[in-house]
mmCIF file of all heavy atoms in Angstrom:
data_model
loop_
_atom_site.group_PDB
_atom_site.id
_atom_site.type_symbol
_atom_site.label_atom_id
_atom_site.label_comp_id
_atom_site.label_asym_id
_atom_site.label_seq_id
_atom_site.Cartn_x
_atom_site.Cartn_y
_atom_site.Cartn_z
ATOM 1 N N THR T 526 -4.102 113.465 -141.781
ATOM 2 C CA THR T 526 -5.163 112.694 -142.439
ATOM 3 C C THR T 526 -4.748 112.279 -143.847
ATOM 4 O O THR T 526 -4.999 111.136 -144.269
ATOM 5 C CB THR T 526 -6.455 113.527 -142.501
ATOM 6 O OG1 THR T 526 -6.873 113.864 -141.184
ATOM 7 C CG2 THR T 526 -7.567 112.763 -143.207
ATOM 8 N N ALA T 527 -4.111 113.193 -144.572
ATOM 9 C CA ALA T 527 -3.728 112.910 -145.960
ATOM 10 C C ALA T 527 -2.528 111.981 -146.059
ATOM 11 O O ALA T 527 -2.406 111.226 -147.024
ATOM 12 C CB ALA T 527 -3.424 114.222 -146.685
ATOM 13 N N ALA T 528 -1.633 112.040 -145.067
ATOM 14 C CA ALA T 528 -0.423 111.202 -145.089
ATOM 15 C C ALA T 528 -0.235 110.594 -143.699
ATOM 16 O O ALA T 528 0.668 111.007 -142.954
ATOM 17 C CB ALA T 528 0.785 112.026 -145.506
ATOM 18 N N PRO T 529 -1.049 109.630 -143.335
ATOM 19 C CA PRO T 529 -1.042 109.111 -141.955
ATOM 20 C C PRO T 529 0.249 108.420 -141.541
ATOM 21 O O PRO T 529 0.537 108.332 -140.346
ATOM 22 C CB PRO T 529 -2.232 108.132 -141.948
ATOM 23 C CG PRO T 529 -2.431 107.760 -143.383
ATOM 24 C CD PRO T 529 -2.061 108.970 -144.175
ATOM 25 N N SER T 530 1.033 107.919 -142.485
ATOM 26 C CA SER T 530 2.269 107.209 -142.130
ATOM 27 C C SER T 530 3.495 108.109 -142.132
ATOM 28 O O SER T 530 4.598 107.648 -141.818
ATOM 29 C CB SER T 530 2.495 106.042 -143.099
ATOM 30 O OG SER T 530 2.631 106.509 -144.433
ATOM 31 N N ALA T 531 3.320 109.370 -142.479
ATOM 32 C CA ALA T 531 4.461 110.284 -142.581
ATOM 33 C C ALA T 531 4.797 110.893 -141.231
ATOM 34 O O ALA T 531 3.910 111.210 -140.437
ATOM 35 C CB ALA T 531 4.166 111.388 -143.587
ATOM 36 N N LYS T 532 6.092 111.062 -140.987
ATOM 37 C CA LYS T 532 6.536 111.826 -139.827
ATOM 38 C C LYS T 532 6.498 113.300 -140.215
ATOM 39 O O LYS T 532 6.924 113.673 -141.304
ATOM 40 C CB LYS T 532 7.956 111.421 -139.424
ATOM 41 C CG LYS T 532 8.496 112.207 -138.234
ATOM 42 C CD LYS T 532 9.872 111.729 -137.824
ATOM 43 C CE LYS T 532 10.428 112.552 -136.662
ATOM 44 N NZ LYS T 532 9.552 112.512 -135.469
ATOM 45 N N ILE T 533 6.015 114.146 -139.324
ATOM 46 C CA ILE T 533 5.844 115.566 -139.620
ATOM 47 C C ILE T 533 6.736 116.384 -138.693
ATOM 48 O O ILE T 533 6.710 116.198 -137.468
ATOM 49 C CB ILE T 533 4.365 115.994 -139.455
ATOM 50 C CG1 ILE T 533 3.454 115.125 -140.334
ATOM 51 C CG2 ILE T 533 4.197 117.465 -139.784
ATOM 52 C CD1 ILE T 533 1.975 115.322 -140.064
ATOM 53 N N ILE T 534 7.515 117.258 -139.277
ATOM 54 C CA ILE T 534 8.382 118.163 -138.521
ATOM 55 C C ILE T 534 7.988 119.598 -138.865
ATOM 56 O O ILE T 534 7.879 119.963 -140.035
ATOM 57 C CB ILE T 534 9.864 117.924 -138.841
ATOM 58 C CG1 ILE T 534 10.283 116.524 -138.372
ATOM 59 C CG2 ILE T 534 10.743 118.983 -138.174
ATOM 60 C CD1 ILE T 534 11.720 116.184 -138.679
ATOM 61 N N ILE T 535 7.781 120.396 -137.840
ATOM 62 C CA ILE T 535 7.374 121.786 -138.025
ATOM 63 C C ILE T 535 8.588 122.692 -137.782
ATOM 64 O O ILE T 535 9.220 122.614 -136.724
ATOM 65 C CB ILE T 535 6.231 122.172 -137.056
ATOM 66 C CG1 ILE T 535 5.094 121.144 -137.139
ATOM 67 C CG2 ILE T 535 5.737 123.576 -137.365
ATOM 68 C CD1 ILE T 535 4.524 120.942 -138.524
ATOM 69 N N VAL T 536 8.892 123.537 -138.749
ATOM 70 C CA VAL T 536 9.978 124.506 -138.629
ATOM 71 C C VAL T 536 9.351 125.889 -138.508
ATOM 72 O O VAL T 536 8.565 126.304 -139.356
ATOM 73 C CB VAL T 536 10.932 124.445 -139.848
ATOM 74 C CG1 VAL T 536 12.061 125.468 -139.692
ATOM 75 C CG2 VAL T 536 11.502 123.042 -140.006
ATOM 76 N N GLY T 537 9.693 126.594 -137.456
ATOM 77 C CA GLY T 537 9.095 127.891 -137.196
ATOM 78 C C GLY T 537 9.583 128.976 -138.133
ATOM 79 O O GLY T 537 10.412 128.748 -139.006
ATOM 80 N N PRO T 538 9.089 130.198 -137.944
ATOM 81 C CA PRO T 538 9.455 131.299 -138.835
ATOM 82 C C PRO T 538 10.914 131.714 -138.669
ATOM 83 O O PRO T 538 11.483 131.613 -137.583
ATOM 84 C CB PRO T 538 8.503 132.427 -138.419
ATOM 85 C CG PRO T 538 8.147 132.111 -137.001
ATOM 86 C CD PRO T 538 8.126 130.617 -136.909
ATOM 87 N N ALA T 539 11.485 132.183 -139.773
ATOM 88 C CA ALA T 539 12.840 132.700 -139.744
ATOM 89 C C ALA T 539 12.806 134.174 -139.331
ATOM 90 O O ALA T 539 11.746 134.721 -139.014
ATOM 91 C CB ALA T 539 13.490 132.530 -141.110
ATOM 92 N N GLN T 540 13.964 134.796 -139.354
ATOM 93 C CA GLN T 540 14.065 136.198 -138.946
ATOM 94 C C GLN T 540 14.561 137.036 -140.134
ATOM 95 O O GLN T 540 15.749 137.273 -140.290
ATOM 96 C CB GLN T 540 15.043 136.339 -137.781
ATOM 97 C CG GLN T 540 15.211 137.765 -137.260
ATOM 98 C CD GLN T 540 13.969 138.269 -136.564
ATOM 99 O OE1 GLN T 540 13.453 137.627 -135.664
ATOM 100 N NE2 GLN T 540 13.482 139.423 -136.976
ATOM 101 N N PRO T 541 13.636 137.473 -140.995
ATOM 102 C CA PRO T 541 14.067 138.265 -142.152
ATOM 103 C C PRO T 541 14.449 139.683 -141.754
ATOM 104 O O PRO T 541 14.092 140.142 -140.652
ATOM 105 C CB PRO T 541 12.826 138.270 -143.049
ATOM 106 C CG PRO T 541 11.689 138.146 -142.088
ATOM 107 C CD PRO T 541 12.181 137.290 -140.964
ATOM 108 N N PRO T 542 15.154 140.386 -142.629
ATOM 109 C CA PRO T 542 15.520 141.779 -142.301
ATOM 110 C C PRO T 542 14.267 142.656 -142.138
ATOM 111 O O PRO T 542 13.255 142.462 -142.801
ATOM 112 C CB PRO T 542 16.348 142.213 -143.523
ATOM 113 C CG PRO T 542 16.777 140.952 -144.177
ATOM 114 C CD PRO T 542 15.716 139.946 -143.913
ATOM 115 N N ARG T 543 14.358 143.586 -141.243
ATOM 116 C CA ARG T 543 13.321 144.610 -141.013
ATOM 117 C C ARG T 543 11.993 144.028 -140.527
ATOM 118 O O ARG T 543 10.976 144.694 -140.538
ATOM 119 C CB ARG T 543 13.093 145.456 -142.279
ATOM 120 C CG ARG T 543 14.324 146.241 -142.708
ATOM 121 C CD ARG T 543 14.049 147.068 -143.943
ATOM 122 N NE ARG T 543 13.710 146.235 -145.093
ATOM 123 C CZ ARG T 543 14.613 145.650 -145.859
ATOM 124 N NH1 ARG T 543 15.904 145.783 -145.614
ATOM 125 N NH2 ARG T 543 14.254 144.930 -146.889
ATOM 126 N N ALA T 544 11.991 142.779 -140.122
ATOM 127 C CA ALA T 544 10.763 142.192 -139.576
ATOM 128 C C ALA T 544 10.654 142.516 -138.092
ATOM 129 O O ALA T 544 11.663 142.692 -137.399
ATOM 130 C CB ALA T 544 10.760 140.684 -139.785
ATOM 131 N N SER T 545 9.433 142.611 -137.615
ATOM 132 C CA SER T 545 9.200 142.905 -136.207
ATOM 133 C C SER T 545 9.522 141.667 -135.365
ATOM 134 O O SER T 545 8.876 140.625 -135.504
ATOM 135 C CB SER T 545 7.745 143.319 -135.989
ATOM 136 O OG SER T 545 7.442 143.366 -134.611
ATOM 137 N N GLU T 546 10.508 141.783 -134.503
ATOM 138 C CA GLU T 546 10.877 140.650 -133.659
ATOM 139 C C GLU T 546 9.750 140.291 -132.694
ATOM 140 O O GLU T 546 9.525 139.115 -132.395
ATOM 141 C CB GLU T 546 12.156 140.968 -132.886
ATOM 142 C CG GLU T 546 13.391 141.094 -133.768
ATOM 143 C CD GLU T 546 14.650 141.257 -132.946
ATOM 144 O OE1 GLU T 546 14.598 140.997 -131.714
ATOM 145 O OE2 GLU T 546 15.697 141.632 -133.518
ATOM 146 N N ALA T 547 9.044 141.307 -132.206
ATOM 147 C CA ALA T 547 7.933 141.044 -131.279
ATOM 148 C C ALA T 547 6.826 140.252 -131.970
ATOM 149 O O ALA T 547 6.274 139.290 -131.402
ATOM 150 C CB ALA T 547 7.392 142.357 -130.735
ATOM 151 N N ASP T 548 6.493 140.630 -133.196
ATOM 152 C CA ASP T 548 5.452 139.910 -133.942
ATOM 153 C C ASP T 548 5.886 138.469 -134.215
ATOM 154 O O ASP T 548 5.084 137.534 -134.083
ATOM 155 C CB ASP T 548 5.151 140.623 -135.259
ATOM 156 C CG ASP T 548 4.332 141.900 -135.053
ATOM 157 O OD1 ASP T 548 3.875 142.124 -133.912
ATOM 158 O OD2 ASP T 548 4.149 142.649 -136.037
ATOM 159 N N LEU T 549 7.151 138.296 -134.608
ATOM 160 C CA LEU T 549 7.625 136.947 -134.908
ATOM 161 C C LEU T 549 7.643 136.068 -133.667
ATOM 162 O O LEU T 549 7.361 134.875 -133.756
ATOM 163 C CB LEU T 549 9.021 137.003 -135.539
ATOM 164 C CG LEU T 549 9.075 137.450 -136.996
ATOM 165 C CD1 LEU T 549 10.512 137.556 -137.479
ATOM 166 C CD2 LEU T 549 8.294 136.479 -137.888
#
């Protein structure tokens, strides 16, 4: 709505140290 002419790309979460892989 705020930027109707913009192309939008979604980048998912990274894998930081000690993070739960199941949660991510």
Side-chain angles (χ1 to χ4, degrees):
T526 300
S530 61
K532 179 177 178 58
I533 304 171
I534 295 178
I535 309 304
V536 180
Q540 181 69 53
R543 297 181 297 277
S545 169
E546 293 186 14
D548 285 352
L549 285 176

